[in-house]
Amino acid sequence: GPDWLKVAREADSEAGVLERRRELEALAGQIETGQARVDELKQQLEENRETIAALEEEREEVQRQAGRLNRELGEVSAQVSARQVRLEQITM
């Protein structure tokens, strides 16, 4: 009679609720996994930024050393040139 239609609708409704619950649980798991990945990537980003900062400091120090060495080379070259000129003057 007319009651069988009501029972079928309730069963369909209940099945729909259960399916929706499973979907929500699956989505919650995906969100949790995604958030864990975001946290991991943020940590890697911070570590990479620290590494970059350290390497930039090292590069600046190397550039300062190169500048000092170039100045020293210029001074020594000038001294050598002056001595060569003096030696030439003496030997003439």
Side-chain angles (χ1 to χ4, degrees), residues 2-91:
D3 291 335
W4 71 269
L5 189 56
K6 186 176 179 182
V7 170
R9 280 191 193 148
E10 286 176 5
D12 285 346
S13 176
E14 200 170 307
V17 168
L18 291 175
E19 178 63 25
R20 184 74 177 139
R21 178 182 293 163
R22 281 193 292 273
E23 289 175 5
L24 290 173
E25 289 171 354
L27 288 173
Q30 291 174 2
I31 289 170
E32 187 176 325
T33 300
Q35 186 60 51
R37 182 69 176 141
V38 166
D39 293 343
E40 178 184 329
L41 290 172
K42 282 182 180 179
Q43 178 64 33
Q44 287 179 1
L45 179 61
E46 184 58 31
E47 290 171 5
N48 288 342
R49 285 181 175 156
E50 290 172 4
T51 299
I52 288 169
L55 290 172
E56 286 175 345
E57 285 181 29
E58 187 177 333
R59 177 183 51 100
E60 289 171 5
E61 178 58 30
V62 167
Q63 285 178 334
R64 284 191 292 273
Q65 288 176 354
R68 283 193 298 272
L69 291 173
N70 278 327
R71 283 190 300 279
E72 187 178 334
L73 176 62
E75 292 169 7
V76 170
S77 293
Q79 290 172 2
V80 167
S81 294
R83 287 181 182 162
Q84 284 177 334
V85 167
R86 218 175 328 166
L87 179 61
E88 289 173 7
Q89 289 173 347
I90 294 172
T91 57

